Amino acid sequence: KLNIPADKMAALGRSLGYVPILLSVCLSRLRKDTVDDVELEEEIEKIICTGDLTPSAEEKVMRKVSSQLELTIKAIELKRPSSVQLMLICCYLSSTNIPVEWFEQKDATTCFRLMSSYSLCTYTTKTISIHAMVQRIFRNLDASHVREGLRWAMGIVLRNWATIPIPPGATIVRQKYISHVFSIKRFIEHLEEKEYLENWCHNVANVASEVCSFELSLELYQEHLHLLYQEHGLDRTESIARCLLNIGNVYNLQGIFGEAIQYYN
C-alpha cells in the first residue's frame, strides 16, 4: 500500500532493525484497511525512506503505535474475548518461546492465530513470541488486574514445570521454564509488596526441588529466609522454621547429610 521504491529497500532494512514492531503492526493494520490515518502512513513512510529515527521522532511514533495497538486489541477482544485473557498471562512471561502446550489447546490455537493475523505475536504450532512493546501495552491497558495476571501466569508456569518430565541434563528445556519464572519475578518486585515476593520464592523453590533443580531451590529458599528475617524478624517463627526445614530437605535429597542436619537442628 505504501508502494516502496526499490532504491529505498536498503533504508527499509535499517529501519526494520530499529523499529520492527512499528512497521509490522501498523502496516498489518493498513493492509487490513482497519485504520484510516494519513498522518500515520506519512510518518511510517518518512522513517522507511530516510532510515533514521531521532529520539523525539521515536517518542512520537511510539505513542502513535501504542494508540493503534490499543485499537487492535479492542478489535480482537470483540472477535474472541478469551484472547485478551491469554495475552494478559503472556505479557508477564518472557517475550519469546512461550509453549503453546501450556494452554488449553483448541481455544489457545484459535486465539493465537487470531493475534498472529494482527501481528501481535509470532505463532508456531509449538511456541509463540510477543514483542516486548506489545506486552507493555497490554499491561498498561489492564493495570487494575496486575495481581490477577501475575497469579495466572505463575500458576500456568509452575503447574507445567512440575508435571512435564524434563530429562536429566536438558539444560535448554529447563532454562525455558526458568526464564518465564524470573520474568514474573521482575514484575512482582515492581509491586514493592514483600509478601508477594515471599510467596514467589517459596512456591518456585518448592517446584524447583520437585524437579531436582537443587541449586535453584536452595538459592530461593535462602532468599525467602532472608526476606522473612528482614521483614518480620522473629515474629514469623513458624514460617522461618518451615523454610529451614525445606532447606534441610533439599540437602538431604542430595545426600549432603551434614548440612541437612545443621538446618534440621
Side-chain angles (χ1 to χ4, degrees), residues 1 8-9 13 35 48 76 80 146 164 168 175 209:
K1 187 166 182 176
K8 302 297 182 183
M9 289 305 293
V35 60
I48 290 172
I76 289 174
R80 195 86 182 183
V146 170
I164 294 175
Q175 191 59 41
S209 178

Side-chain angles (χ1 to χ4, degrees), residues 148-214:
E148 187 176 24
L150 284 169
R151 189 172 64 252
W152 286 338
M154 195 69 194
I156 203 166
V157 174
L158 293 185
R159 183 170 65 251
N160 284 281
W161 191 16
T163 57
I164 294 175
I166 300 176
T171 307
I172 294 175
V173 178
R174 186 172 288 108
Q175 191 59 41
K176 174 179 69 177
Y177 285 92
I178 292 173
S179 67
H180 294 299
V181 166
F182 278 88
S183 174
I184 294 167
K185 183 187 181 185
R186 287 196 298 274
F187 296 109
I188 291 176
E189 288 173 335
H190 290 159
L191 290 176
E192 296 185 346
E193 295 180 15
K194 295 296 184 182
E195 187 174 350
Y196 271 81
L197 189 55
E198 290 171 20
N199 290 335
W200 179 90
C201 289
H202 176 74
N203 292 333
V204 176
N206 283 347
V207 175
S209 178
E210 287 178 27
V211 298
C212 301
S213 290
F214 297 125

